[in-house]
Amino acid sequence: MEDKEIGRLAPASDGSSDIVVDDDKTEDDVKFEPIKTARSGDPAGGRSGLGRAGSKELTEADLFKALSRRRTGASAASTDPESENEQAEIERLMSRMFGQGRQAHSEEEKTRHVGVVFRHLTVKGMGLGAALQPSVSDVLLALPRLLEGLFRRGSKSLGGKPPVRTLLNDFTGCVKPGEMLLVLGRPGSGCSTFLKVIGNQRFGYEDVAGDVVYGGTDAKTMARDYRGEVLYNPEDDLHYATLTVRQTLEFALKTRTPGKASRQEGETRGQYVQEFLRVVSKLFWIEHTLATKVGNALVRGVSGGEKKRVSIAEAMITKASTQCWDNSTRGLDSSTALEYVQSLRTLTNMAHVSTLVALYQAGESLYRLFDKVLLIHGGRCAYYGPTDDARAYFEGLGFVCQERWTTADFLTSVTDEHERKVRDGYDSRIPRTPDQFEAAFNGSDVARRNVADVEELESHFDEMRRRREEAQTGATKKKNYTIPFHQQVLACTYRQWLVTKGDVMATFGKWGGILFQALIVGSLFYGMPQTSAGVFPRGGVLFFMLLFNALLALAELTSAFSGRPIMLKHKSFSFYRPAAYAIAQTVLDLPLVLIQVLIFNIVVYFMANLGRTASQFFISILVLFVTTLTMYSAFRAVGALCKSLDTATRITGVSIQALIVYTGYLIPPTKMKPWLSWLKWINPVQYGFEALMANEFSGLQIKCEPPFLVPVGPDVLPEHQSCLIQGSRPGSTVVDGSDYIMTGFTYTRAHLWRNVGIIIAFWIFFVFLTMLGMERQKPNKGGGAVTVFKRGEAPKSVEKALEDGAAPADEETGAVDPPRLEKEVVTSGSDSSAEDLTRVAKNETVFTWSDVSYRIPVKGGERRLLDDCQGYVRPGKLTALMGASGAGKTTLLNTLAQRINFGVVTGQFLVDGRPLPLSFQRATGFAEQMDVHEPTATVREALRFSALLRQPKEVSVGEKYEYVERILSLLEMEDIAGATIGEPGAGLNQEQRKRVTIGVELASKPELLMFLDEPTSGLDSGAAFNIVRFLRKLADAGQAILCTIHQPSSVLFEYFDELILLKSGGRVVYHGPLGKDSRRLITYFESNGAKTCPPDANPAEYMLEAIGAGDPNYKGKDWGDVWASSPDHDERAREIEQMIAERRDATRTGAINDAREYAMPLSTQIRSVVGRSFVAYWRTPDYVVGKFVLHIFTGLFNTFTFWKLGSSSVDLQSRLFSVFMTLTISPPLIQQLQPKFLEFRNIYRSREANSKIYSWVALVTGAIVVEIPYSLVAGSIYFNCWYWGVGFPRDSFAAGFTWIMMMLFELYYVSFGQAIAAFSANELLASLLVPVFFLFIVSFCGVVVPPAGLPYFWRSWMYPLTPFRYLVEAFLGVLLHNVPVRCDENEFARFSPPSGQTCEEYTRQFVKMAGGYVQETAGLCEFCQYSSGDEYAAQLNLFYRYRWRDFGIFWAYIIFNFAVVYVATWLYLRGGSGIKAWFKPAARKQKALAAKKEKTAA
């Protein structure tokens, strides 16, 4: 490649680019070879000289022609006039965007900081790289362990900060403008750290020493003033799923459109955006996707490769001068990965930037696109220099590059003691440790040339600085953000509107839910009279209106955390300030919240018969609107200020209780305890409630009617009556609304507009807090992954290091060295090794399939994903399943493994010529691509679980566990057997996780075959090599293996025996043996018209290129048709028929004879799953402690709110509300437990159900049983925090019965929460359904509206049906029984007795009938409504005598809920799809035809 260089770009004296081309290049050379800049160390042409003898200047038109045709292969020579016109258009547009004309006129281009230099760069980070698995015992035993540590190790056991370790040590180098640097290294070596620091993302590191200079400006100044010129792009593609590709890129362009001085003359912002969009969409082949949503796991969108190209286009828009890309080809096939890097090459050449890219698996064609390569080993620089010199440098040190190895694989292998191959006689001379590699490099000629290169670039910096200062104006003095703040706000607001519009179903679903709730609430308070009977409910409906809208804002928490990674990425890209995003969200709230409030308020307001004047109606809308806005901003501020959703949920759990209780409705302000009454002043809802109450009651004349009119009787006169409502006057039967709210609540109409102003002030304050929180947010801390060990199972060296607080002996990773497969067991070929492998892998069955098609229903018809596939997998053969991204590889693998539960599959699947046995899924191993495991389980536990439940029950437990140890030994995982699997980043690394996935399947002792989906995806080349080599060993031992694979190097590809190659549409284009050096495959394609395969080409890349994989412009032959009509296809068909005939008569193995769906009985399954669930909870202290803390805080909050209640009638009501508050702790607790249930279900659904490890019954039982003991303990803690301080009865029965009901309540919310989760597809839906269902059951229990006040419709069926009715009755029936009542002064109804009668004589008959008591004070009769708690309870239809009946009925509800969990889980996992299919005639017909076909074949 070095003599094929066609062009190079370098800084010229005028700041533009000079482009040179060799004279001896033909026109075809220019058209078809990738652009590549000159090497920094190339002696033939130094940067300073720029031109070379014998070179001519290449015009822009020539360059753009080469760039735009760099990937089109033979099709570039097309004379199609339409194609030529298209090329000419691209060339014209590119020239407009990147040509010298734009650079000459662009102020922004002239002031860029091009080129990056780093000298003596050293980065230090915190941590050991290993840790102990936290558990609940850490909380319980923290103090004893601390004391033990003090006795054993003295004061140093108190520790403090963990030790600091060096992540990068003394790196020096430069990346010139127009150069690309490839960063290589094993996982954990420091590649991501290097890219982050060069990308100026320094947060989280303990210390960054040395200098990083961008075009002569230091890193600190760049971060402060020119943030937009340095870019770090993480490996994840972070985009809004509901935006289209066009919307995503247009937003990026709008935020990075330069000012008029940096645009062409007369060019508007809109024209700039549209022209740039046309350029990038054509350049990166995403024109056809512009109208498609980007998508994610839940939203259907563009493919993975297209999403990568969108990310590149987005980065290209930034025009950043230094760009860092971290492992961005993960998950892409080799053709798409090559496209990706070629796109970066083009971007680097055209935009004249410095590009640094980390790749884990780089093929030779990718490697050749780079100018320089950096090899990192254990944080040390093992090589930094030209790509062309790297191989020779390491061969000079004594390493041997094995045949067909790519250069990148060879470079990575030299840092791995198990992979490197050493030249004879050099064993004692080669460097082995990271320090030795660093020392060898520092003493080399390459290092000296590197330093000279750095000095040469630095010599240009003064000139660069001078030219920047000359061209600089006020607009470019700082370049953090391209557009001003107000335009950022407008752009973000429009983007957020598009995001909302893109998910229109969710928005309308939310509004539909609000309308439904409004109808329920409106009917609950329907037609309230303007009499005494409507007074309490009138306050209730106003409270409900405020509370409902405020609680809807809780959903902001989830969205605040889900959108955070995208916001941080855009911040690093300098698209906008986070504060602008915060304001944009608030601006978008205005119309959306207004619609929400109008829907709810209009329905409830008129149904409830609230004040019918225009001013009252519009004031109520205004108050609701500003209060709801304030609550949205408040919860968003909590989300912005908290680091995790867990922390935010705990804060909101307690704050919601404060919002509810200290509004003034449940406890009147006069009754609030002084130590917590201050909460009402910082509660925005309280100000809203006062405003609504004043608005409603001012001017309302409340007519008093029985039972509030006292006394009543045949001889009672109105002047001797009074009203039980607060604010009544003696001798008056009408109460003024203003008096009522002043006496009962100390509210007044005079505070109305003051309160509206205070609420708006709160809103502005919370928006400011959100802005502050978002501005302060940082990306995740820098540092390597941590291996987490179960206490007592860490290797001795790690355990000692953890005790001493020192780094472990291995300096490479700072953790246990990731064990490699290439130790004696795998490489030696010893007898014991071969015997072990045979015992693990031996099988004899042949799996065949033919005429396999798969269709799924789509809008307006159906789509075929697989089309008439046939093939086989034989014992002893390693078969690769390949194709371009989206060709259907994983779909075919899932279809063959019988894991498809959507759409219609037709075709014949046979094992040894017979239909698949019932045990097929259990007797085959399927290693998932996603490595789904229970994160808290250790490696050994995961393998034992698989072995215990998947090997036949006839095998003893001891034998199963012994077999697991053999698998651990074979996979070289003994050192990490005690490590918990964890999540990526906090647990095992990618290679270790992949090995666990394979180990879990091998532990099941698969008797038929092994399926593997992308076993090398995301691994570095060494790890991928080890995995494939191990699969080869398994195949040689007799295992039948079918495996999909991405980006295999020619070395990896050589390990496979046979290939099944698919093209888009799920059609087979080749199936058969590969042959030595893939000769059979190459011969097939060449003989059918494909271009000749060069000798040094990777056959895996050649075949994909031959069939036009990933090329939307491919116009060659249809290789599916070529295969279908080829002799090879007919030969495969005959082989399948022959295999079926031969194997049908063979002796049947145990797996084929086994008719059991599950290997173990249900009782064993339940016992194992319940045990694993308890271990998972024990090792998740955050969840358990969170649950207990919420119980403790809410219990104490309740008890201090209602501390030592007295004996007034308001105190009776307070007892009711204290119980009601206890009920309200269930929503946050349910929100906590649902993710745990869904996590168990997701693991089961994605892996364990398909493998038939255990039944869904065991899953549900495990999820239910594990919650119960923790909930009962937490409930007991709550009871003790709550009961004794409120002043409830102290007799043993009352306390004991209340505790029992508290335990039932704990069981109820667990069952209720899990029932909702069981029929929810995901966490978001489950969390949205909780308030809907909770408000529904709590509304009709008789607390919010007394039973007598409920409309007949609801009272007749919903009141007796709601479970909380019986719980409240059981609680209050006991807690109010025989409690004496003495009214407070403001609770009496006062009236004068007729002359000649005492109060007792006047009211005797009335008191006898109505209850209560009367006393005489200063000539006035004072009537108290209740004389005992039982009378108050009776008015609410609560009776002490029904306590045991209620106990029994509540048990029935709990049992019913748990039954729903079982039924809903069955429907979700198994039954639902079958029931749906039954109602679809087309599906029934297709299934019947498929069954008939299979029957005929059999």
Side-chain angles (χ1 to χ4, degrees), residues 46 107 111 335 590 858 1055 1235 1316 1348 1360 1393:
E107 191 180 286
T111 55
S335 63
L590 297 173
V858 292
Y1055 276 90
I1316 292 172

Side-chain angles (χ1 to χ4, degrees), residues 527-542:
M528 289 184 301
Q530 293 186 346
T531 65
S532 53
V535 169
F536 188 71
R538 200 168 290 269
V541 74
L542 296 174

Side-chain angles (χ1 to χ4, degrees), residues 652-673:
T652 51
V654 177
S655 60
I656 282 170
Q657 291 247 311
L659 285 176
I660 293 171
V661 176
Y662 287 88
T663 299
Y665 172 68
L666 297 188
I667 313 173
T670 53
K671 281 285 183 178
M672 291 178 183
K673 304 297 180 188

Side-chain angles (χ1 to χ4, degrees), residues 1151-1166:
I1152 297 176
N1153 281 322
D1154 192 350
R1156 295 173 297 199
E1157 188 176 9
Y1158 300 101
M1160 302 299 285
L1162 185 60
S1163 59
T1164 307
Q1165 295 172 35
I1166 289 173

Side-chain angles (χ1 to χ4, degrees), residues 71 104 126 152 168 200 241 267 340 388 534-535 633 711 717 760 817 1039 1070 1413:
R71 298 167 296 176
M126 190 87 75
R152 283 178 57 197
L168 297 177
N200 230 359
E267 185 180 40
Y340 166 81
D388 294 338
V535 169
S633 295
L717 299 171
I760 292 171
D817 183 30
Q1039 182 73 58
Y1070 180 78
Y1413 69 91

Side-chain angles (χ1 to χ4, degrees), residues 669-716:
T670 53
K671 281 285 183 178
M672 291 178 183
K673 304 297 180 188
W675 48 81
L676 289 175
S677 61
W678 57 270
L679 286 169
K680 74 179 179 217
W681 303 118
I682 60 166
N683 182 358
V685 181
Q686 184 264 334
Y687 294 100
F689 185 62
E690 179 177 3
L692 285 180
M693 289 286 281
N695 180 53
E696 178 62 30
F697 280 95
S698 291
L700 180 67
Q701 296 299 306
I702 305 162
K703 188 182 175 189
C704 210
E705 292 180 347
F708 296 94
L709 188 63
V710 295
V712 290
D715 303 323
V716 174

